[in-house]
Amino acid sequence: MMELSAEHFNQLSRQIYLRLGLQFEEKKTYFLQKRVEKRMAALGYDDPQEYVFHLCYADPEAKEMQALANLITTNETYMFREYEQLEAFANCCLPEVLSAKQSRGEQRLRIWSAGCSSGEEAYTLAIILQEVFPQSQYWDCEIVATDIDQNMLAQAATGRYWWRSVRDVPAEYLEKYFIQEGETYTLRPKTASLVRVEHLNLHDRMAMRAMRNFDFIFCRNVLIYFDDQSRKTAVDQFYNSLNRGGYVFLGHSESVGRISSAFKLKRVDTHLVYAKE
Ligand SMILES: C[S@@+](CC[C@H](N)C(=O)[O-])C[C@H]1O[C@@H](n2cnc3c(N)ncnc32)[C@H](O)[C@@H]1O
């Protein structure tokens, strides 16, 4: 069995941090070692030094970093995760933004699920949008679902899920928005067509700059894997990506108050949201 020395671990984790913004502490050595082992087998390497060299100095198109990223990300997700926060979105923030748009005569709404994993969050938002705003079908509405992990994006693009992913979906929505075949639930085409799946590295400044004109950004349970510096870089980009009057929603345990003063922190019910005024 291959063993990753402290030096190799440091080189690899540094490279991962620089390219993906993800922080791996020393206690994750075994976790990283198992993934690196797989990649070494795929590339035919016996010595970790060969792999370190490949990843750090011979990967100009970031193909190997992408292959490793597909193995090291944490992808846990399910529909209607953090239900109460979604209620705050559905009952307060979404109606507020829609009514401001209506009064300006606008008919375009854009939502970004940043770090969407296999897409459950994005389709949840599509369901909520259709529930709260049935006229959305006459508007130009789009939910952009992005992630670094290509395997998760392929799953997201299918719009098809096992019961485990839909376990928290209210029964009436299951009936209304899904076609069930055994233990498989497929989003109905009208809902699925609201979601566009795209590859994006949140730590890639150029790619982030292209993300513009969003009314809502959901980046939940993603920034916990970043350190303060890479979190700040991503959040600063979110500010630029957001329209005035828009909101950022983070996960329960995540806060950017300490690292960004650009947003106005607002309390909606029991939840904190970040507003761009
Ligand atoms: C735990 S999942 C969160 C899924 C969903 N937002 C939720 O709350 O249920 C975290 C996702 O962030 C993605 N991620 C991690 N680092 C990323 C990066 N640098 N760029 C884009 N996505 C990243 C991972 O691939 C993973 O799918």
Side-chain angles (χ1 to χ4, degrees):
M1 204 183 77
M2 178 277 273
E3 245 186 56
L4 216 51
S5 67
E7 192 194 334
H8 289 148
F9 173 82
N10 288 339
Q11 284 175 292
L12 290 173
S13 58
R14 170 112 192 104
Q15 198 62 15
I16 291 168
Y17 175 71
L18 289 175
R19 316 251 296 261
L20 306 178
L22 297 174
Q23 205 182 30
F24 280 87
E25 290 168 7
E26 227 175 297
K27 62 182 181 205
K28 289 280 219 166
T29 302
Y30 183 72
F31 172 92
L32 194 59
Q33 183 177 304
K34 295 313 280 176
R35 274 80 191 158
V36 166
E37 246 172 40
K38 276 197 183 167
R39 290 307 308 151
M40 284 175 59
L43 296 165
Y45 293 150
D46 298 322
D47 184 347
Q49 181 59 42
E50 290 176 289
Y51 186 74
V52 170
F53 182 84
H54 184 148
L55 192 78
C56 299
Y57 306 109
D59 188 29
E61 288 167 25
K63 283 191 183 153
E64 184 47 36
M65 182 52 81
Q66 179 62 60
L68 186 61
N70 293 346
L71 296 177
I72 60 174
T73 48
T74 304
N75 307 115
E76 165 67 8
T77 186
Y78 49 91
M79 302 232 175
F80 285 86
R81 184 177 194 179
E82 295 175 21
Y83 196 93
E84 286 166 14
Q85 187 187 37
L86 295 171
E87 278 182 327
F89 165 67
N91 297 335
C92 303
C93 303
L94 181 58
E96 178 199 298
V97 167
L98 288 170
S99 113
K101 281 182 178 277
Q102 275 166 325
S103 66
R104 293 195 298 266
E106 286 176 32
Q107 294 201 325
R108 186 168 194 238
L109 184 82
R110 294 186 81 224
I111 303 176
W112 178 10
S113 169
C116 65
S117 185
S118 37
E120 285 87 332
E121 180 177 78
Y123 293 112
T124 298
L125 297 171
I127 292 172
I128 292 174
L129 178 62
Q130 286 176 286
E131 280 296 308
V132 170
F133 190 55
Q135 304 93 300
S136 61
Q137 59 182 311
Y138 307 113
W139 279 39
D140 174 8
C141 293
E142 184 174 50
I143 297 159
V144 182
T146 67
D147 203 281
I148 184 85
D149 189 325
Q150 293 166 319
N151 299 330
M152 291 302 116
L153 291 174
Q155 160 73 54
T158 67
R160 185 177 304 129
Y161 296 98
W162 291 106
W163 66 269
R164 215 177 163 278
S165 288
V166 302
R167 64 189 186 266
D168 282 358
V169 178
E172 56 166 311
Y173 296 171
L174 264 189
E175 174 89 359
K176 195 166 161 188
Y177 293 101
F178 294 84
I179 299 161
Q180 184 187 356
E181 283 166 291
E183 293 195 333
T184 308
Y185 294 79
T186 306
L187 269 305
R188 293 189 189 274
K190 195 170 147 198
T191 309
S193 68
L194 285 168
V195 174
R196 179 159 59 86
V197 175
E198 260 183 33
H199 180 266
L200 181 111
N201 177 359
L202 291 170
H203 202 58
D204 178 341
R205 279 172 197 250
M206 291 294 277
M208 287 290 274
R209 267 188 218 136
M211 302 299 282
R212 289 275 166 201
N213 303 321
F214 287 95
D215 301 296
F216 293 99
I217 301 173
F218 283 76
C219 186
R220 305 188 306 164
N221 310 301
V222 177
L223 299 179
I224 33 170
Y225 304 106
F226 285 33
D227 77 337
D228 269 2
Q229 185 53 49
S230 48
R231 206 174 288 151
K232 178 170 170 35
T233 310
V235 169
D236 286 347
Q237 286 296 338
F238 287 157
Y239 190 82
N240 296 331
S241 301
L242 212 55
N243 292 330
R244 294 221 167 267
Y247 290 98
V248 173
F249 285 75
L250 302 175
H252 266 327
S253 53
E254 296 161 309
S255 152
V256 296
R258 208 159 37 90
I259 56 172
S260 172
S261 53
F263 291 98
K264 178 153 189 233
L265 197 56
K266 278 195 186 173
R267 183 168 285 281
V268 183
D269 294 337
T270 54
H271 289 277
L272 292 178
V273 291
Y274 297 85
K276 176 167 173 174
E277 295 197 310

